[in-house]
Amino acid sequence: MKIDLNGNVIEEQKAVVSVYDHGFLYGMGLFETFRTYGGRPFLLEWHLERLAAGCRELDIRYVPDPDGLQVRIRRLLEANALTDAYFRLTVTAGTDILGLPAEPYKHPTEILYVKSLPPVNSSVYSSGKPLQLLELRRNSPEGTIRHKSLHYMNNILAKQELRRYPWAAQAEGLLLDAQGFLSEGIVSNVFFVRGGELHTPSAETGLLPGITRRYVMTIAREIGLSVSEGLYRWEGLTGADEVFLTNSIQEIVPVTGLFDREGNAHTVGDGTAGPVTARLLSRYRNICS
């Protein structure tokens, strides 16, 4: 696969960064994942807005170039003979001293990765997938809010825990915050519907404010749904009419089963995608196409 390193298309095996890059040394870097539809990156402006805000907080002097990035995306699609793809844009702090920096990071490293989109399992959008409650808690953000940073140990440890539950094949893992409130999935944000109202955990639980999360809240309000962000317990999900997950690659995925840490199962609704979830997914895809 060919990727883009600092604006140059290169074979992935030949792409290298310095061992003194502070992304490698200290995890100082951010990334965004998104996909294309018909060759066009979806919600790219929102992704770059979040990336730029994070870089300002980390004092990384990075200014996104949306038009230039569009060209680079098209170039990578063509170079890899892909019509659409999964993209990850990573910005690291760049090379600096061995030790904590005394000045802003002025020469960031920029990498645009690409890979084929995962096969579409259309049945998951109707029959849904399970959600497994995890023991590991969502760690607190390093700064004012959680950024999509290179500090990913919490997520990786959560993924390792998920593998310990034999009944949770194909499940997403659910993290609570330190106070026991619902936070987010390992690679997703969580929503639930109760009494015709849409709910999602608040950013104060330490979750990553996902771009798809933001977009789903927008389109939900456009179709007249009441949307609330708050502090919710596990019982909020077990008592919900519908539950679904969001991320930029999988879009909107219904959750039709819940597992606690002892393996006790709870069916959400009638075990299929609920009407609100289906309506939001239909509108999402209509806009994408």
Side-chain angles (χ1 to χ4, degrees):
M1 194 71 75
K2 295 181 175 67
I3 65 173
D4 180 308
L5 176 61
N6 292 325
N8 300 307
V9 175
I10 188 171
E11 292 288 348
E12 59 186 1
Q13 299 88 346
K14 298 179 180 179
V16 295
V17 296
S18 169
V19 294
Y20 289 98
D21 191 303
H22 276 209
F24 172 74
L25 283 173
Y26 303 116
M28 291 296 285
L30 302 163
F31 70 99
E32 292 289 330
T33 55
F34 53 89
R35 61 156 294 174
T36 60
Y37 293 89
R40 301 186 306 275
F42 188 54
L43 300 176
L44 183 62
E45 289 186 4
W46 286 12
H47 282 285
L48 294 182
E49 174 187 295
R50 182 172 68 176
L51 180 62
C55 284
R56 285 193 296 271
E57 184 162 339
L58 299 185
D59 216 0
I60 298 173
R61 299 299 170 85
Y62 172 75
V63 179
D65 176 10
D67 293 337
L69 187 56
Q70 295 263 16
V71 172
R72 293 162 62 193
I73 289 167
R74 290 194 296 270
R75 189 167 57 192
L76 279 184
L77 287 173
E78 182 178 348
N80 291 289
L82 296 169
T83 302
D84 282 309
Y86 167 116
F87 285 88
R88 169 174 160 154
L89 175 62
T90 298
V91 176
T92 79
T95 302
D96 211 312
I97 61 169
L98 182 61
L100 302 186
E103 296 182 351
Y105 293 112
K106 298 177 182 177
H107 304 288
T109 300
E110 187 178 2
I111 308 167
L112 183 61
Y113 301 88
V114 62
K115 68 177 183 179
S116 299
L117 288 165
V120 176
N121 179 5
S122 57
S123 65
V124 76
Y125 295 101
S126 55
S127 59
K129 68 187 303 181
L131 187 62
Q132 171 67 52
L133 179 63
L134 300 177
E135 182 177 1
L136 183 72
R137 296 303 174 98
R138 192 52 165 131
N139 63 337
S140 298
E142 292 88 351
T144 54
I145 63 168
R146 183 171 305 282
H147 296 295
K148 201 170 180 72
S149 78
L150 304 186
H151 301 186
Y152 235 57
M153 185 185 295
N154 195 222
N155 301 66
I156 292 172
L157 291 176
K159 189 70 171 181
Q160 291 172 352
E161 180 186 340
L162 183 61
R163 294 201 299 265
R164 301 205 305 262
Y165 302 114
W167 55 80
Q170 309 304 315
E172 165 69 314
L174 174 68
L175 292 154
L176 307 180
D177 71 2
Q179 287 72 45
F181 294 112
L182 302 176
S183 182
E184 62 182 341
I186 299 174
V187 292
S188 62
N189 288 123
V190 180
F191 288 82
F192 66 92
V193 180
R194 188 169 56 204
E197 296 185 351
L198 187 61
H199 302 270
T200 192
S202 166
E204 67 184 277
T205 64
L207 59 78
L208 174 74
I211 297 300
T212 306
R213 172 184 182 269
R214 173 183 169 187
Y215 192 66
V216 165
M217 292 168 67
T218 299
I219 61 176
R221 291 185 175 108
E222 288 175 353
I223 63 176
L225 287 174
S226 171
V227 182
S228 299
E229 299 176 75
L231 300 175
Y232 308 107
R233 299 285 184 180
W234 171 247
E235 292 74 22
L237 294 185
T238 59
D241 303 317
E242 302 177 43
V243 181
F244 63 86
L245 307 171
T246 62
N247 75 23
S248 294
I249 307 302
Q250 298 179 28
E251 305 170 332
I252 301 171
V253 178
V255 170
T256 50
L258 303 169
F259 291 111
D260 65 18
R261 289 186 287 270
E262 288 71 45
N264 299 309
H266 176 88
T267 301
V268 179
D270 64 0
T272 62
V276 173
T277 305
R279 187 180 178 192
L280 288 169
L281 180 58
S282 175
R283 182 170 177 82
Y284 186 99
R285 289 183 168 170
N286 285 340
I287 295 169
C288 292
S289 62

